[in-house]
Amino acid sequence: MIWAISVVLALAGLVLLAVAAWRLLGGLKQLGQGLERVQERAEEAQELQERLNLTLAEVQRTTAALPEK
């Protein structure tokens, strides 16, 4: 009888462990998707920074070419 209870408790523990592992894998998947979005946003920010630098350089060239008052 004690063996039966031990087996049932062990199986219940395994089920709980499996559920926890399943939830952890789901969380890891979401984390991976979030990291992909962060990388995409970082690339977009880099592109915007490059465009801003080009625009700033253009403004500096234009203002340098203006006659002084």
Side-chain angles (χ1 to χ4, degrees), residues 4 6-7 12 14 17 24 27 30 33 37-39 41-42 45 47 58 68:
S6 297
V7 168
L14 288 174
L17 184 61
L24 178 61
Q30 287 181 345
Q33 292 170 348
R37 285 195 300 270
V38 167
Q39 289 174 338
R41 297 300 184 267
E47 292 172 4
E58 177 90 18
E68 294 184 24

Side-chain angles (χ1 to χ4, degrees), residues 2 4 7 19 23 25-26 30 32 34 37 39 42-45 49 55 58-60 64-67 69:
I2 292 176
V7 168
V19 168
R23 292 184 69 191
L25 289 175
Q30 287 181 345
R37 285 195 300 270
Q39 289 174 338
E43 290 172 3
E44 290 174 6
Q49 181 67 42
T55 302
E58 177 90 18
V59 167
Q60 289 173 340
L66 290 175
K69 291 185 177 183

Side-chain angles (χ1 to χ4, degrees), residues 2-32:
I2 292 176
W3 289 102
I5 293 172
S6 297
V7 168
V8 169
L9 289 176
L11 290 175
L14 288 174
V15 168
L16 289 175
L17 184 61
V19 168
W22 187 263
R23 292 184 69 191
L24 178 61
L25 289 175
L28 289 174
K29 182 180 177 183
Q30 287 181 345
L31 179 61

